[in-house]
Amino acid sequence: MKYLLAHAFVIRILFLLLILAASLIGCTADKKISLAHQVVAIENGEECHLCGMIITNYSGPKGQLISKGQEGNLKFCSTLDMFAFIVDPENSHNIQQAFVHDMAVTPWDRPDEETYIDARKAWYVIGHAKQGSMGATLASFARQQDAQAFADVEGGEVLSFDQINLQTLVDMSSVHKSPI
């Protein structure tokens, strides 16, 4: 009888370990699913999530976001539109991932879909001479030294992702408005 009780105890422990292992595998599968969210190609005719303009009709860096409660990537015709969406308090807490083009390795006129980088780790140049879809835009770069080299040629100021806020975007827009 003592042998059966000891054997039942071992079986219970093994059963609990099996359940624990299965739950850990489930957590790993969920993590793999969340990591599968990546940037996707912007197709001809796709519209900007913010302004509705056809994204591929315009030059300059583009942006993509993955947001809680939204199915698929949110695509933007410019980094300016992407940041306008991000800094909105109704949206900012839902952003899971953000992507922008690395303009050090792709042409301004037609950014390559293979050059997206993590927007939170990118460096941005504001106040430069180049135009995006709506005029002024933020030039995005993977490396700070590339952003500074761009600013040295085109003008502007280098900022990190965390330095960009609503006031930054307002100041950019007011500086680049053409007189009427």
Side-chain angles (χ1 to χ4, degrees):
M1 178 92 166
K2 188 175 181 181
Y3 176 77
L4 287 175
L5 288 174
H7 190 62
F9 178 75
V10 170
I11 290 173
R12 284 184 189 155
I13 295 293
L14 289 174
F15 181 72
L16 289 173
L17 287 173
L18 183 62
I19 290 173
L20 179 63
S23 67
L24 289 176
I25 290 170
C27 291
T28 303
D30 290 344
K31 184 143 180 127
K32 285 180 184 174
I33 289 170
S34 69
L35 291 176
H37 291 293
Q38 294 294 325
V39 69
V40 295
I42 295 173
E43 303 294 331
N44 285 331
E46 283 193 280
E47 295 179 358
C48 176
H49 183 76
L50 189 70
C51 70
M53 293 171 56
I54 303 298
I55 298 171
T56 56
N57 287 353
Y58 301 95
S59 60
K62 315 293 184 245
Q64 292 190 37
L65 298 175
I66 296 170
S67 182
K68 291 179 204 166
Q70 297 281 334
E71 197 165 309
N73 291 20
L74 306 180
K75 300 173 185 178
F76 298 88
C77 63
S78 70
T79 50
L80 179 64
D81 277 14
M82 183 191 77
F83 273 102
F85 186 87
I86 289 172
V87 300
D88 182 334
E90 290 185 27
N91 302 322
S92 60
H93 64 281
N94 288 324
I95 305 302
Q96 294 178 314
Q97 290 178 292
F99 303 98
V100 292
H101 285 111
D102 180 359
M103 298 312 292
V105 297
T106 192
W108 190 270
D109 293 338
R110 194 154 285 298
D112 187 335
E113 294 299 312
E114 300 297 317
T115 62
Y116 278 101
I117 55 174
D118 183 338
R120 289 186 170 106
K121 295 178 182 174
W123 294 91
Y124 300 89
V125 180
I126 62 167
H128 56 81
K130 291 200 174 269
Q131 297 291 297
S133 63
M134 305 279 268
T137 196
L138 299 93
S140 46
F141 299 89
R143 299 175 343 134
Q144 185 177 11
Q145 51 268 52
D146 292 334
Q148 188 59 58
F150 178 87
D152 290 345
V153 173
E154 298 292 336
E157 176 185 359
V158 177
L159 300 174
S160 69
F161 181 91
D162 292 330
Q163 291 175 296
I164 300 166
N165 56 38
L166 180 58
Q167 191 59 53
T168 305
L169 303 180
V170 169
D171 291 347
M172 277 179 59
S173 298
S174 64
V175 168
H176 284 85
K177 282 193 177 189
S178 59
I180 297 178

